[in-house]
């Protein structure tokens, strides 16, 4: 026919399903929860032909269940919204307006990766995982297409806003790709150090859960414990092995999670990608980034390395999702922070000497008091150990004082504190939603106070600890003059 | 330096704080009597004057019970001007909070049943951050209602200006 076709009112909306390949994953995922009932059926039936029949029926039923669930779950994008429809038992439709989608998180757990699939999580800023949308098992290409489609709408807005603000990021630029050799800094962060203990606890839990099935009961467990108790060298060896395993396993976990970490910018988004087995891609909307946090443990400072997080408004689980860099050399972290977020152009101001006295007091005196109590009660060894701890409080207190500082450069404010875990936060002024100034009885005696900038992002509040009375109030007044100056005494001093 | 916020809270707030600290006082002294009673049968301290414990607790707490409400009344002050809520609270430790109207998300007016009895109310002003949120306690009920209404009104005006 040559007659022009009449355009339909609306193009048909494609109704999409998850990739059928996800059906290969589902039964494997269900396996752990199936093993026990299946074993139960087999054992109860005495491994007879009938019991195998029932077990097979159970497996078949779970496969059918997975297929039906897959067939009845559809999603579609139309009219500026994403609809997730479940029609298995009853019918539920979740509608997510595209403009509410603030970020898209693509992860590929190992099985998904083998099959070329990915899990797409939508960050709607609703808070609480229940409210957020999830597409578990789309092909990689589809995940990429969805990410582009879902974010396209926002990118236009964001680009417009960025142009207005005058800080459009260059298209598709890569800020950082962490070389593999830097993975060696991993153990310095102290992250995942307790992995061996977590594994052990998990193993014990599993042994108890499964043990019941195999005739292991409490009495047997007690007997095992008593047997161990009689052989203390075994316990000591196990403890030593656990302690030795701490850095090794910790490093392994760190490497698994932070393998080939890349940070790039595309459109209005910062995209962090990482992981060896599970590859995780987190998109952070640049418009919602309000600053950054630079974190260093004592060891990390010794080796001049640091970690970097973004301070993002309305981001749940911000310590995992907001991570911009794993452990990297500090100058590198600073460069990336400046390029990706923005600089702080003012040096940190020192806090009064009273702050140093308070840091020292708090690091030393409690331990000294405990030591005195221990000596009084006759526990000499414990007392000596506590005295050593108290002595260690001297450098610790001094270092804590050196860490303290605050600054404002007209656009961003910065506060720093901590010693064993030192963090410096840099936050834009427009993110500040209010101030809290606190002065305890003891601070009052020393004429110092703690000023906290309330920020609707990240930790919610960033404190300048033990500033001078005048200094702290002046800091708040400097950042947001309109909110503070009306309440200052008219005469200076 | 910061000046005092303009307004005091209601005088009845002293009664409120007194009731609250008395409740706490009764609770702790009652607990210490129970502990003393329980300890009296314990051999290692046989012969010690165990009944001194509740008396010592009472003597230690009583000045606080009386002083705290009066002290709080002197410290707790608030003000709403230049589109900023400025409030001070605490007694031994003090806290000054500044919340600009433009950042307020919700304003709640709440009444516990002591407060209800005394016709007092608490105004809770929330922003996106806990550190930028303020709770003003011990306001006269009508004053609290007026403040909440003013805040809501001004917040709406500011929003309309912005759009």
């Amino acid at each position: 026919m040559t007659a022009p076709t009449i355009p339909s009112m609306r193009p048909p909306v494609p109704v999409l399903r998850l990739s059928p390949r996800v059906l290969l994953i589902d039964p494997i995922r269900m396996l752990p929860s199936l093993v026990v009932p299946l074993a139960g059926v087999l054992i109860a039936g005495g491994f007879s032909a009938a019991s195998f029949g029932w077990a097979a029926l159970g497996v078949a039923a779970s496969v059918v269940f997975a297929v039906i669930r897959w067939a009845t779950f559809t999603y579609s994008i139309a009219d500026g919204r994403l609809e997730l429809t479940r029609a298995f038992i009853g019918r539920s439709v979740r509608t997510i307006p595209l403009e509410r989608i603030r970020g898209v998180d693509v992860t590929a757990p190992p099985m998904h990766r083998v099959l070329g699939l990915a899990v797409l999580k939508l960050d709607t800023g609703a808070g609480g995982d229940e409210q957020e949308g999830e597409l578990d098992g789309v092909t990689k290409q589809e995940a990429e297409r969805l990410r582009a489609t879902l974010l396209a709408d926002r990118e236009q807005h964001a680009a417009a806003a960025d142009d207005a603000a005058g800080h459009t990021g260059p298209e598709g630029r890569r800020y950082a790709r962490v070389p593999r050799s830097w993975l060696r800094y991993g153990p310095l962060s102290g992250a995942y150090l307790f992995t061996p203990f977590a594994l052990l606890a998990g193993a014990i839990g599993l042994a108890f859960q499964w043990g019941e099935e195999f005739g292991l009961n409490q009495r047997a467990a007690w007997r095992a414990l008593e047997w161990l108790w009689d052989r203390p060298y075994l316990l000591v060896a196990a403890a030593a092995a656990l302690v030795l395993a701490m850095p090794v396993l910790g490093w392994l976990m760190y490497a698994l999670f932070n393998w080939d970490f890349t940070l790039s910018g595309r459109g209005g988004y910062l995209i962090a990608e990482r992981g060896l087995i599970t590859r995780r891609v987190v998109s952070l909307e640049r418009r919602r980034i309000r600053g950054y946090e630079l974190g260093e443990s004592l060891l990390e400072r010794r080796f001049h390395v640091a970690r970097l997080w973004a301070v993002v408004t309305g981001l749940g689980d911000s310590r995992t999702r907001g991570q911009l860099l794993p452990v990297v050399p500090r100058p590198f972290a600073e460069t990336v922070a400046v390029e990706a977020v923005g600089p702080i152009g003012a040096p940190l101001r020192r806090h009064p000497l009273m702050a140093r006295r308070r840091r020292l007091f708090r690091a030393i005196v409690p331990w000294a008091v405990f030591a005195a109590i221990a000596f009084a009660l006759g526990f000499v060894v414990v007392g000596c150990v506590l005295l050593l701890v108290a002595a260690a409080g001297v450098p610790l207190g001094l270092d804590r004082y050196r860490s303290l500082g605050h600054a404002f450069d007209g656009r961003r404010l910065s506060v720093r504190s901590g010693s064993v875990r030192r963090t410096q936060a840099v936050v834009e002024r427009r993110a500040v939603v209010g101030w809290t100034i606190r002065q305890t009885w003891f601070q009052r005696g020393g004429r110092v106070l703690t000023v906290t900038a309330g920020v609707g992002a990240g930790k919610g509040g960033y404190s300048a600890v033990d500033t001078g009375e005048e200094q702290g109030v002046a800091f708040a007044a400097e950042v947001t003059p309109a909110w503070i100056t009306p309440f200052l005494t008219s005469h200076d001093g | 330096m910061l000046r005092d916020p303009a307004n005091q809270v209601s005088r009845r707030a002293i009664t409120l704080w007194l009731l609250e600290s008395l409740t706490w006082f009764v609770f702790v002294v009652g607990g210490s009597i129970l502990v003393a009673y329980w300890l009296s049968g314990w051999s290692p301290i046989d012969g010690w004057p165990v009944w001194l414990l509740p008396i010592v607790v009472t003597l230690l707490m009583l000045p606080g019970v009386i002083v705290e409400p009066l002290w709080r009344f002197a410290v707790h002050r608030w003000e709403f001007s230049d589109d900023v809520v400025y409030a001070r609270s605490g007694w031994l430790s003090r806290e000054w909070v500044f919340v600009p109207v433009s950042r307020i998300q919700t304003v709640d007016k709440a009444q516990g049943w002591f407060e209800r009895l005394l016709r007092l109310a608490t105004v809770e002003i929330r922003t996106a951050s806990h550190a930028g949120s303020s709770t003003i306690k011990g306001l006269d009920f009508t004053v609290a209602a007026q403040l909440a209404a003013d805040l809501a009104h001004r917040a709406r005006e500011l929003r309309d200006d912005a759009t």
Side-chain angles (χ1 to χ4, degrees):
Chain A
M1 287 249 300
T2 50
T5 50
I6 300 157
S8 59
M9 292 297 284
R10 266 196 325 211
V13 177
V15 173
L16 304 164
R17 288 201 167 81
L18 299 176
S19 164
R21 271 177 270 168
V22 77
L23 289 173
L24 293 173
I25 299 175
D26 266 347
I28 298 176
R29 249 192 307 203
M30 270 193 247
L31 213 58
S33 54
L34 275 179
V35 163
V36 171
L38 282 183
V41 166
L42 286 177
I43 292 167
F47 296 95
S48 64
S51 71
F52 275 106
W54 285 112
L57 200 68
V59 172
S62 67
V63 169
V64 169
F65 174 77
V67 171
I68 294 177
R69 205 173 50 171
W70 168 77
T72 54
F73 177 78
T74 57
Y75 63 92
S76 62
I77 303 174
D79 295 339
R81 58 177 191 264
L82 169 71
E83 286 192 349
L84 308 177
T85 311
R86 277 182 192 78
F88 188 9
I89 307 168
R91 189 182 154 83
S92 79
V93 181
R94 176 176 293 167
T95 305
I96 303 171
L98 293 194
E99 77 260 15
R100 297 297 305 281
I101 297 174
R102 294 165 152 187
V104 175
D105 187 348
V106 181
T107 51
M111 277 191 288
H112 288 69
R113 239 175 132 185
V114 169
L115 297 167
L117 298 177
V119 183
L120 203 84
K121 275 204 191 93
L122 305 172
D123 170 16
T124 52
D129 285 342
E130 293 296 312
Q131 300 298 315
E132 303 194 339
E134 188 183 85
L135 292 171
D136 185 349
V138 291
T139 59
K140 253 185 172 155
Q141 301 86 312
E142 175 69 355
E144 198 45 47
R145 185 191 75 85
L146 280 171
R147 209 176 59 95
T149 319
L150 294 176
L151 298 182
D153 185 46
R154 291 198 65 79
E155 285 187 1
Q156 280 160 17
H157 286 289
D162 274 350
D163 284 341
H167 57 89
T168 314
E171 194 63 25
R173 79 167 285 193
R174 173 174 287 175
Y175 291 107
R177 184 194 173 87
V178 177
R180 283 186 198 153
S181 60
W182 287 359
L183 284 173
R184 68 175 186 273
Y185 299 132
L188 302 177
S189 68
Y192 312 114
L193 263 189
F194 293 99
T195 315
F197 298 96
L199 285 179
L200 185 71
I204 290 174
L206 212 64
F208 267 100
Q209 199 185 332
W210 288 45
E212 300 274 305
E213 308 292 327
F214 303 110
L216 261 173
N217 52 22
Q218 229 175 340
R219 220 173 46 220
W222 271 119
R223 265 212 307 279
L225 265 184
E226 276 169 23
W227 183 84
L228 268 178
W229 197 245
D230 289 338
R231 292 159 182 77
Y233 53 89
L234 268 182
L235 278 177
V236 170
L242 274 179
V243 170
L244 284 179
M246 277 170 75
V248 178
L249 276 179
W251 176 80
L252 216 64
M253 295 294 282
Y254 174 84
L256 285 183
F257 285 128
N258 292 299
W259 194 260
D260 279 349
F261 197 111
T262 60
L263 179 70
S264 47
R266 196 186 309 157
Y269 287 84
L270 274 185
I271 299 167
E273 202 176 334
R274 65 172 178 277
L276 179 61
I277 296 172
T278 296
R279 194 88 186 135
R280 181 167 189 165
V281 185
V282 183
S283 311
L284 299 171
E285 196 182 350
R286 206 186 266 274
R287 228 174 13 146
R288 290 195 299 145
I289 296 178
R290 294 285 182 272
Y292 61 86
E293 272 180 67
L294 206 60
E296 306 150 286
S297 70
L298 259 181
L299 267 178
E300 285 175 310
R301 270 157 64 196
R302 181 90 183 61
F303 290 89
H304 307 289
V305 292
R307 285 162 288 160
L308 186 69
W309 291 270
V311 174
V312 186
T313 58
L315 184 76
D317 190 16
S318 57
R319 269 282 143 144
T320 330
R321 282 188 181 173
Q323 193 179 14
L324 291 184
L325 282 179
V327 191
V328 298
R330 197 188 148 104
F332 182 79
E334 279 170 353
T335 316
V336 170
V338 167
E339 277 186 42
V341 183
I344 171 95
L348 289 173
R349 273 167 247 158
R350 285 180 163 277
H351 292 193
L353 285 178
M354 190 61 205
R356 184 169 76 185
R357 216 159 91 196
R358 279 173 49 79
R359 297 279 87 71
L360 283 171
F361 185 87
R362 286 161 66 150
I364 300 167
V365 172
W367 300 107
V369 169
F370 285 137
I373 293 173
F375 281 126
L377 293 176
F379 298 110
V380 178
V381 177
V382 177
C384 286
V385 170
L386 286 169
L387 264 189
L388 279 181
V389 176
V394 176
L396 184 69
L398 288 176
D399 188 57
R400 277 205 187 128
Y401 170 68
R402 272 196 302 273
S403 291
L404 291 181
H406 64 272
F408 180 63
D409 68 353
R411 180 163 174 181
R412 298 183 177 86
L413 65 112
S414 177
V415 293
R416 191 175 70 179
S417 64
S419 168
V420 177
R421 292 199 169 278
R422 186 169 83 174
T423 51
Q424 178 173 10
V426 174
V427 180
E428 286 179 28
R429 169 167 69 180
R430 65 185 170 127
V432 177
V433 297
W435 293 92
T436 299
I437 299 176
R438 262 193 209 94
Q439 189 175 41
T440 63
W441 176 254
F442 300 104
Q443 279 180 317
R444 207 166 166 204
R447 296 180 56 79
V448 292
L449 36 78
T450 294
V451 182
T452 307
V455 172
K459 279 186 210 151
Y462 295 94
S463 301
V465 181
D466 281 353
T467 62
E469 279 180 336
E470 309 266 334
Q471 192 186 27
V473 175
F475 176 49
E478 187 189 3
V479 177
T480 56
W483 303 350
I484 310 289
T485 38
F487 308 110
L488 297 178
T489 41
S490 46
H491 60 89
D492 289 327
Chain B
M1 283 310 289
L2 290 168
R3 64 171 168 81
D4 296 343
N7 313 306
Q8 284 196 304
V9 297
S10 165
R11 222 160 238 295
R12 293 193 301 279
I14 302 178
T15 322
L16 175 70
W17 286 314
L18 192 64
L19 281 173
E20 282 179 356
S21 57
L22 273 177
T23 315
W24 182 232
F25 174 72
V26 168
F27 202 69
V28 173
V29 171
S32 69
I33 289 173
L34 278 181
V35 168
Y37 180 73
W38 177 66
L39 282 181
S40 61
W42 199 37
S43 55
I45 55 163
D46 216 12
W48 288 31
V50 175
W51 44 268
L52 268 180
L53 182 71
I55 293 175
V56 168
V57 168
T58 304
L59 286 179
L60 281 178
M61 279 191 76
L62 208 54
V65 168
I66 294 159
V67 168
E68 187 195 331
L70 295 169
W71 199 338
R72 276 191 183 277
F73 180 70
V75 173
H76 283 239
R77 294 177 78 99
W78 65 277
E79 179 173 348
F80 174 43
S81 55
D82 294 297
D83 286 335
V84 177
V85 178
Y86 169 36
R88 187 174 70 185
S89 60
W91 60 301
L92 285 175
S93 297
R94 294 179 178 195
E95 191 173 294
W96 295 258
V97 181
F98 302 85
V99 187
V101 174
S102 56
R103 301 292 194 278
I104 292 176
Q105 289 184 332
T106 62
V107 178
D108 292 355
K109 200 168 76 242
Q111 270 187 308
W113 56 275
F114 278 154
E115 286 176 305
R116 211 139 156 197
L117 218 67
L118 295 163
R119 283 174 295 113
L120 292 173
T122 298
V123 175
E124 290 172 18
I125 302 160
R126 298 262 167 276
T127 65
S129 155
H130 60 86
S133 299
S134 170
T135 303
I136 309 174
K137 238 182 135 168
L139 293 176
D140 181 86
F141 185 75
T142 51
V143 173
Q146 186 61 46
L147 175 62
D150 286 352
L151 286 173
H153 178 69
R154 191 67 193 124
R156 199 165 47 239
E157 272 182 4
L158 283 179
R159 204 164 37 238
D160 291 347
D161 285 352
T163 47

